[in-house]
Amino acid sequence: MAILLTGGTGFIGSHTAVELINAKQDVVIADDLSNSKAEIVDKIEQITGKRPAFRQLDVTDKAGLDAMFNEFQIEGVIHFAGFKAVGESVAKPIEYYRNNLDSMLSVLEVMRAHQCRKLIFSSSATVYGANSESPFKETAPTGNCTNPYGWTKYMIEQILFGVAQADPDMSIVLLRYFNPIGAHESGLIGERPNGIPNNLLPYLTQTVIGIRDHLSVFGNDYPTHDGTGVRDFIHVVDLAKGHVAAFDYARKHTGAEVFNLGTGIGYSVLDVIKAFEQANGVKVKYQFCPRRPGDIATCYSDPSKAKELLHWQAEKNLVDMCRDAWRWQQNC
Ligand code: UFG
């Protein structure tokens, strides 16, 4: 039986496809290629020696999704597909709510029709909002999100808790990602943002390669060790391995369970800049700027629940993340 990855040619989806195939799982990908390229399937094959089945499909297309469930024997779904740009979600709330909620509901309806009961969902640390202090435990209050993107993650979490309650045979794992960065060490897959990057690492690597003039560091007056924002950066390959562990967990448990996927370590923006310079022997041109609206000072995980129950923990360090991100930027 195969595991269906919606959004499987995206940044996290493609790395997860690789790790699942490495773990001898059959992978089927559905992706509309709105934010990725079909050639990613070739790269996954190059890395693993095995080509996942691929169908170009917007998963809000229920008939198309149904056809995939008829074509393949789907054991479970890892649902990555969704719009993910925080700033864009503020400008286009209707599109974000429509797309992210619709795609999740379509997946759930088609899964139900085919009695498919294992689901892993890409949630985000953003659901913790500004409610409590780092390190965030899974039991920390959620909601109070600062943008529509975050609200879609929060709302889908609520939908999934309801679905698990209504059908006691469902196995649902909600993974709250912290800040995934880096790229596969082969340099063949990585993050490819559309237009001007919003996130730190793609902006930084594009600055060093000369596409951007300088990196703006948003705020140096936060109550952190050097005044810049602190985040829990996690290597995307570690994050991908977390999905393999989560699927295994879903095979053995029913109900809905939430896990943080982070390292538990907070690094500041300046820490990242310094690590990047040291790891790669380059200089990062940056300027301090005012705080970015909606940002919090510090956000890092307590990853102990994933360690205990998923038997997973992040293994790669900040230098690995910086080195792999730079290799990818030079290749892509
Ligand atoms: N930053 C800069 N300059 C930039 C970009 C970012 O200084 O050009 C700073 C931010 O202010 C922040 C840190 O770098 O302090 C990380 O910012 P990112 O935009 O890379 O990431 P965020 O923590 O804002 O957001 C990420 C994901 C969201 C997710 C959130 C969960 O992009 O999808 O983590 O906490 F919701």
PDB file of all heavy atoms in Angstrom, residues 86 124-126 149 178-179 198-200 203 215-218 229 231 269 292 295 299, ligand 1:
ATOM      1  N   VAL A  86       2.621  33.999   4.892  1.00  0.00           N
ATOM      2  CA  VAL A  86       1.944  34.731   5.958  1.00  0.00           C
ATOM      3  C   VAL A  86       1.443  36.099   5.470  1.00  0.00           C
ATOM      4  O   VAL A  86       0.267  36.439   5.631  1.00  0.00           O
ATOM      5  CB  VAL A  86       2.898  34.900   7.161  1.00  0.00           C
ATOM      6  CG1 VAL A  86       2.299  35.820   8.204  1.00  0.00           C
ATOM      7  CG2 VAL A  86       3.250  33.543   7.753  1.00  0.00           C
ATOM      8  N   SER A 124       1.501  24.107  12.395  1.00  0.00           N
ATOM      9  CA  SER A 124       2.585  25.080  12.535  1.00  0.00           C
ATOM     10  C   SER A 124       2.638  25.614  13.954  1.00  0.00           C
ATOM     11  O   SER A 124       1.604  25.753  14.629  1.00  0.00           O
ATOM     12  CB  SER A 124       2.308  26.229  11.572  1.00  0.00           C
ATOM     13  OG  SER A 124       3.117  27.332  11.880  1.00  0.00           O
ATOM     14  N   ALA A 125       3.836  25.986  14.376  1.00  0.00           N
ATOM     15  CA  ALA A 125       4.003  26.625  15.680  1.00  0.00           C
ATOM     16  C   ALA A 125       3.230  27.932  15.755  1.00  0.00           C
ATOM     17  O   ALA A 125       2.988  28.450  16.850  1.00  0.00           O
ATOM     18  CB  ALA A 125       5.482  26.893  15.929  1.00  0.00           C
ATOM     19  N   THR A 126       2.836  28.437  14.603  1.00  0.00           N
ATOM     20  CA  THR A 126       2.082  29.698  14.589  1.00  0.00           C
ATOM     21  C   THR A 126       0.763  29.575  15.367  1.00  0.00           C
ATOM     22  O   THR A 126       0.242  30.584  15.835  1.00  0.00           O
ATOM     23  CB  THR A 126       1.853  30.143  13.118  1.00  0.00           C
ATOM     24  OG1 THR A 126       1.495  31.503  13.089  1.00  0.00           O
ATOM     25  CG2 THR A 126       0.804  29.324  12.427  1.00  0.00           C
ATOM     26  N   TYR A 149      -3.331  32.904   7.540  1.00  0.00           N
ATOM     27  CA  TYR A 149      -2.607  31.634   7.360  1.00  0.00           C
ATOM     28  C   TYR A 149      -2.604  30.844   8.672  1.00  0.00           C
ATOM     29  O   TYR A 149      -2.939  29.659   8.712  1.00  0.00           O
ATOM     30  CB  TYR A 149      -1.166  31.911   6.903  1.00  0.00           C
ATOM     31  CG  TYR A 149      -0.225  30.770   7.139  1.00  0.00           C
ATOM     32  CD1 TYR A 149      -0.218  29.661   6.302  1.00  0.00           C
ATOM     33  CD2 TYR A 149       0.657  30.768   8.232  1.00  0.00           C
ATOM     34  CE1 TYR A 149       0.627  28.596   6.538  1.00  0.00           C
ATOM     35  CE2 TYR A 149       1.505  29.709   8.475  1.00  0.00           C
ATOM     36  CZ  TYR A 149       1.493  28.626   7.621  1.00  0.00           C
ATOM     37  OH  TYR A 149       2.321  27.563   7.874  1.00  0.00           O
ATOM     38  N   PHE A 178       8.269  24.031  13.578  1.00  0.00           N
ATOM     39  CA  PHE A 178       8.870  25.311  13.959  1.00  0.00           C
ATOM     40  C   PHE A 178       9.469  25.930  12.679  1.00  0.00           C
ATOM     41  O   PHE A 178       8.729  26.136  11.734  1.00  0.00           O
ATOM     42  CB  PHE A 178       9.779  25.139  15.184  1.00  0.00           C
ATOM     43  CG  PHE A 178       8.900  25.070  16.432  1.00  0.00           C
ATOM     44  CD1 PHE A 178       8.097  23.960  16.685  1.00  0.00           C
ATOM     45  CD2 PHE A 178       8.778  26.164  17.272  1.00  0.00           C
ATOM     46  CE1 PHE A 178       7.202  23.937  17.755  1.00  0.00           C
ATOM     47  CE2 PHE A 178       7.900  26.140  18.358  1.00  0.00           C
ATOM     48  CZ  PHE A 178       7.118  25.038  18.593  1.00  0.00           C
ATOM     49  N   ASN A 179      10.742  26.244  12.595  1.00  0.00           N
ATOM     50  CA  ASN A 179      11.224  26.955  11.394  1.00  0.00           C
ATOM     51  C   ASN A 179      12.097  26.055  10.527  1.00  0.00           C
ATOM     52  O   ASN A 179      13.325  26.019  10.727  1.00  0.00           O
ATOM     53  CB  ASN A 179      12.004  28.203  11.810  1.00  0.00           C
ATOM     54  CG  ASN A 179      11.103  29.292  12.360  1.00  0.00           C
ATOM     55  OD1 ASN A 179      10.394  29.077  13.347  1.00  0.00           O
ATOM     56  ND2 ASN A 179      11.117  30.448  11.738  1.00  0.00           N
ATOM     57  N   ASN A 198      10.020  35.771   1.960  1.00  0.00           N
ATOM     58  CA  ASN A 198       9.581  36.336   3.235  1.00  0.00           C
ATOM     59  C   ASN A 198      10.427  35.823   4.382  1.00  0.00           C
ATOM     60  O   ASN A 198      10.598  36.488   5.391  1.00  0.00           O
ATOM     61  CB  ASN A 198       8.140  35.916   3.541  1.00  0.00           C
ATOM     62  CG  ASN A 198       7.182  36.449   2.525  1.00  0.00           C
ATOM     63  OD1 ASN A 198       7.115  37.647   2.313  1.00  0.00           O
ATOM     64  ND2 ASN A 198       6.448  35.563   1.868  1.00  0.00           N
ATOM     65  N   ASN A 199      10.925  34.601   4.214  1.00  0.00           N
ATOM     66  CA  ASN A 199      11.582  33.937   5.339  1.00  0.00           C
ATOM     67  C   ASN A 199      13.081  34.220   5.355  1.00  0.00           C
ATOM     68  O   ASN A 199      13.685  34.542   4.335  1.00  0.00           O
ATOM     69  CB  ASN A 199      11.321  32.428   5.295  1.00  0.00           C
ATOM     70  CG  ASN A 199       9.844  32.132   5.415  1.00  0.00           C
ATOM     71  OD1 ASN A 199       9.244  31.587   4.498  1.00  0.00           O
ATOM     72  ND2 ASN A 199       9.242  32.529   6.525  1.00  0.00           N
ATOM     73  N   LEU A 200      13.636  34.080   6.550  1.00  0.00           N
ATOM     74  CA  LEU A 200      15.021  34.493   6.778  1.00  0.00           C
ATOM     75  C   LEU A 200      16.028  33.804   5.852  1.00  0.00           C
ATOM     76  O   LEU A 200      16.822  34.468   5.190  1.00  0.00           O
ATOM     77  CB  LEU A 200      15.388  34.227   8.251  1.00  0.00           C
ATOM     78  CG  LEU A 200      16.814  34.584   8.651  1.00  0.00           C
ATOM     79  CD1 LEU A 200      17.061  36.069   8.496  1.00  0.00           C
ATOM     80  CD2 LEU A 200      17.087  34.146  10.092  1.00  0.00           C
ATOM     81  N   TYR A 203      16.034  34.529   2.064  1.00  0.00           N
ATOM     82  CA  TYR A 203      16.443  35.914   1.820  1.00  0.00           C
ATOM     83  C   TYR A 203      17.955  36.049   2.013  1.00  0.00           C
ATOM     84  O   TYR A 203      18.654  36.692   1.229  1.00  0.00           O
ATOM     85  CB  TYR A 203      15.682  36.893   2.735  1.00  0.00           C
ATOM     86  CG  TYR A 203      15.613  38.277   2.114  1.00  0.00           C
ATOM     87  CD1 TYR A 203      14.441  38.752   1.538  1.00  0.00           C
ATOM     88  CD2 TYR A 203      16.750  39.091   2.057  1.00  0.00           C
ATOM     89  CE1 TYR A 203      14.396  40.002   0.927  1.00  0.00           C
ATOM     90  CE2 TYR A 203      16.720  40.330   1.446  1.00  0.00           C
ATOM     91  CZ  TYR A 203      15.536  40.786   0.885  1.00  0.00           C
ATOM     92  OH  TYR A 203      15.495  42.011   0.266  1.00  0.00           O
ATOM     93  N   LEU A 215      20.410  41.924   3.554  1.00  0.00           N
ATOM     94  CA  LEU A 215      19.373  41.334   4.402  1.00  0.00           C
ATOM     95  C   LEU A 215      18.919  42.374   5.416  1.00  0.00           C
ATOM     96  O   LEU A 215      19.757  43.008   6.058  1.00  0.00           O
ATOM     97  CB  LEU A 215      19.953  40.110   5.124  1.00  0.00           C
ATOM     98  CG  LEU A 215      19.075  39.462   6.186  1.00  0.00           C
ATOM     99  CD1 LEU A 215      17.896  38.729   5.549  1.00  0.00           C
ATOM    100  CD2 LEU A 215      19.896  38.463   7.020  1.00  0.00           C
ATOM    101  N   SER A 216      17.615  42.558   5.557  1.00  0.00           N
ATOM    102  CA  SER A 216      17.090  43.420   6.620  1.00  0.00           C
ATOM    103  C   SER A 216      16.865  42.563   7.857  1.00  0.00           C
ATOM    104  O   SER A 216      16.147  41.553   7.788  1.00  0.00           O
ATOM    105  CB  SER A 216      15.750  44.031   6.201  1.00  0.00           C
ATOM    106  OG  SER A 216      15.920  44.818   5.052  1.00  0.00           O
ATOM    107  N   VAL A 217      17.488  42.943   8.950  1.00  0.00           N
ATOM    108  CA  VAL A 217      17.255  42.230  10.214  1.00  0.00           C
ATOM    109  C   VAL A 217      16.149  42.994  10.940  1.00  0.00           C
ATOM    110  O   VAL A 217      16.339  44.162  11.322  1.00  0.00           O
ATOM    111  CB  VAL A 217      18.539  42.164  11.061  1.00  0.00           C
ATOM    112  CG1 VAL A 217      18.260  41.541  12.422  1.00  0.00           C
ATOM    113  CG2 VAL A 217      19.622  41.382  10.323  1.00  0.00           C
ATOM    114  N   PHE A 218      15.006  42.332  11.096  1.00  0.00           N
ATOM    115  CA  PHE A 218      13.822  43.020  11.616  1.00  0.00           C
ATOM    116  C   PHE A 218      13.854  43.089  13.140  1.00  0.00           C
ATOM    117  O   PHE A 218      13.385  42.190  13.822  1.00  0.00           O
ATOM    118  CB  PHE A 218      12.546  42.312  11.154  1.00  0.00           C
ATOM    119  CG  PHE A 218      12.381  42.269   9.657  1.00  0.00           C
ATOM    120  CD1 PHE A 218      11.990  41.096   9.014  1.00  0.00           C
ATOM    121  CD2 PHE A 218      12.599  43.401   8.878  1.00  0.00           C
ATOM    122  CE1 PHE A 218      11.817  41.053   7.638  1.00  0.00           C
ATOM    123  CE2 PHE A 218      12.438  43.368   7.494  1.00  0.00           C
ATOM    124  CZ  PHE A 218      12.048  42.194   6.875  1.00  0.00           C
ATOM    125  N   GLY A 229      15.392  38.565  16.915  1.00  0.00           N
ATOM    126  CA  GLY A 229      14.381  37.530  17.156  1.00  0.00           C
ATOM    127  C   GLY A 229      14.996  36.141  17.277  1.00  0.00           C
ATOM    128  O   GLY A 229      15.976  35.827  16.592  1.00  0.00           O
ATOM    129  N   ARG A 231      14.388  31.982  17.062  1.00  0.00           N
ATOM    130  CA  ARG A 231      13.517  30.947  16.512  1.00  0.00           C
ATOM    131  C   ARG A 231      14.154  29.571  16.664  1.00  0.00           C
ATOM    132  O   ARG A 231      15.369  29.444  16.827  1.00  0.00           O
ATOM    133  CB  ARG A 231      13.258  31.190  15.008  1.00  0.00           C
ATOM    134  CG  ARG A 231      12.483  32.461  14.698  1.00  0.00           C
ATOM    135  CD  ARG A 231      11.040  32.361  15.141  1.00  0.00           C
ATOM    136  NE  ARG A 231      10.270  33.554  14.815  1.00  0.00           N
ATOM    137  CZ  ARG A 231      10.212  34.656  15.558  1.00  0.00           C
ATOM    138  NH1 ARG A 231      10.909  34.742  16.689  1.00  0.00           N
ATOM    139  NH2 ARG A 231       9.463  35.670  15.197  1.00  0.00           N
ATOM    140  N   VAL A 269      18.524  35.735  15.019  1.00  0.00           N
ATOM    141  CA  VAL A 269      18.843  36.068  13.627  1.00  0.00           C
ATOM    142  C   VAL A 269      20.350  36.305  13.486  1.00  0.00           C
ATOM    143  O   VAL A 269      20.978  35.814  12.535  1.00  0.00           O
ATOM    144  CB  VAL A 269      18.026  37.304  13.170  1.00  0.00           C
ATOM    145  CG1 VAL A 269      18.438  37.739  11.775  1.00  0.00           C
ATOM    146  CG2 VAL A 269      16.523  36.998  13.215  1.00  0.00           C
ATOM    147  N   ARG A 292       9.317  43.647  12.421  1.00  0.00           N
ATOM    148  CA  ARG A 292       8.288  43.302  11.440  1.00  0.00           C
ATOM    149  C   ARG A 292       6.964  43.088  12.182  1.00  0.00           C
ATOM    150  O   ARG A 292       6.934  42.338  13.167  1.00  0.00           O
ATOM    151  CB  ARG A 292       8.712  42.019  10.714  1.00  0.00           C
ATOM    152  CG  ARG A 292       7.818  41.599   9.585  1.00  0.00           C
ATOM    153  CD  ARG A 292       8.413  40.422   8.802  1.00  0.00           C
ATOM    154  NE  ARG A 292       8.526  39.206   9.598  1.00  0.00           N
ATOM    155  CZ  ARG A 292       8.948  38.034   9.121  1.00  0.00           C
ATOM    156  NH1 ARG A 292       9.334  37.935   7.858  1.00  0.00           N
ATOM    157  NH2 ARG A 292       9.025  36.981   9.891  1.00  0.00           N
ATOM    158  N   ASP A 295       5.557  39.799  14.419  1.00  0.00           N
ATOM    159  CA  ASP A 295       6.612  38.920  14.941  1.00  0.00           C
ATOM    160  C   ASP A 295       6.617  38.914  16.470  1.00  0.00           C
ATOM    161  O   ASP A 295       6.346  39.942  17.101  1.00  0.00           O
ATOM    162  CB  ASP A 295       7.995  39.395  14.475  1.00  0.00           C
ATOM    163  CG  ASP A 295       8.352  38.884  13.090  1.00  0.00           C
ATOM    164  OD1 ASP A 295       7.582  38.075  12.541  1.00  0.00           O
ATOM    165  OD2 ASP A 295       9.407  39.301  12.574  1.00  0.00           O
ATOM    166  N   CYS A 299      10.525  32.195  19.894  1.00  0.00           N
ATOM    167  CA  CYS A 299       9.638  31.053  19.628  1.00  0.00           C
ATOM    168  C   CYS A 299      10.490  29.809  19.473  1.00  0.00           C
ATOM    169  O   CYS A 299      11.233  29.679  18.502  1.00  0.00           O
ATOM    170  CB  CYS A 299       8.835  31.317  18.353  1.00  0.00           C
ATOM    171  SG  CYS A 299       7.828  29.911  17.836  1.00  0.00           S
TER     172      CYS A 299
HETATM  173  N1  UFG B   1      13.731  37.909   9.647  1.00  0.00           N
HETATM  174  C1  UFG B   1      14.586  38.965   9.387  1.00  0.00           C
HETATM  175  N2  UFG B   1      14.731  39.333   8.073  1.00  0.00           N
HETATM  176  C2  UFG B   1      14.078  38.721   7.042  1.00  0.00           C
HETATM  177  C3  UFG B   1      13.206  37.649   7.346  1.00  0.00           C
HETATM  178  C4  UFG B   1      13.057  37.269   8.665  1.00  0.00           C
HETATM  179  O1  UFG B   1      15.189  39.539  10.265  1.00  0.00           O
HETATM  180  O2  UFG B   1      14.251  39.129   5.876  1.00  0.00           O
HETATM  181  C5  UFG B   1      13.597  37.482  11.044  1.00  0.00           C
HETATM  182  C6  UFG B   1      12.167  37.584  11.567  1.00  0.00           C
HETATM  183  O3  UFG B   1      11.894  38.845  12.053  1.00  0.00           O
HETATM  184  C7  UFG B   1      12.184  36.482  12.638  1.00  0.00           C
HETATM  185  C8  UFG B   1      13.136  35.431  12.083  1.00  0.00           C
HETATM  186  O4  UFG B   1      13.938  36.115  11.114  1.00  0.00           O
HETATM  187  O5  UFG B   1      12.709  36.988  13.834  1.00  0.00           O
HETATM  188  C9  UFG B   1      12.438  34.269  11.387  1.00  0.00           C
HETATM  189  O6  UFG B   1      11.537  34.788  10.427  1.00  0.00           O
HETATM  190  P1  UFG B   1      10.897  33.868   9.272  1.00  0.00           P
HETATM  191  O7  UFG B   1      10.058  34.763   8.409  1.00  0.00           O
HETATM  192  O8  UFG B   1      11.953  33.085   8.594  1.00  0.00           O
HETATM  193  O9  UFG B   1       9.998  32.849  10.083  1.00  0.00           O
HETATM  194  P2  UFG B   1       8.800  33.123  11.112  1.00  0.00           P
HETATM  195  O10 UFG B   1       9.304  32.664  12.441  1.00  0.00           O
HETATM  196  O11 UFG B   1       8.266  34.475  11.019  1.00  0.00           O
HETATM  197  O12 UFG B   1       7.672  32.207  10.513  1.00  0.00           O
HETATM  198  C10 UFG B   1       7.868  30.826  10.314  1.00  0.00           C
HETATM  199  C11 UFG B   1       7.096  30.360   9.084  1.00  0.00           C
HETATM  200  C12 UFG B   1       5.619  30.441   9.294  1.00  0.00           C
HETATM  201  C13 UFG B   1       5.224  29.802  10.571  1.00  0.00           C
HETATM  202  C14 UFG B   1       6.032  30.330  11.728  1.00  0.00           C
HETATM  203  C15 UFG B   1       5.738  29.538  12.969  1.00  0.00           C
HETATM  204  O13 UFG B   1       7.443  31.145   7.955  1.00  0.00           O
HETATM  205  O14 UFG B   1       4.986  29.754   8.220  1.00  0.00           O
HETATM  206  O15 UFG B   1       7.427  30.185  11.455  1.00  0.00           O
HETATM  207  O16 UFG B   1       6.233  30.173  14.084  1.00  0.00           O
HETATM  208  F1  UFG B   1       3.913  30.033  10.796  1.00  0.00           F
END
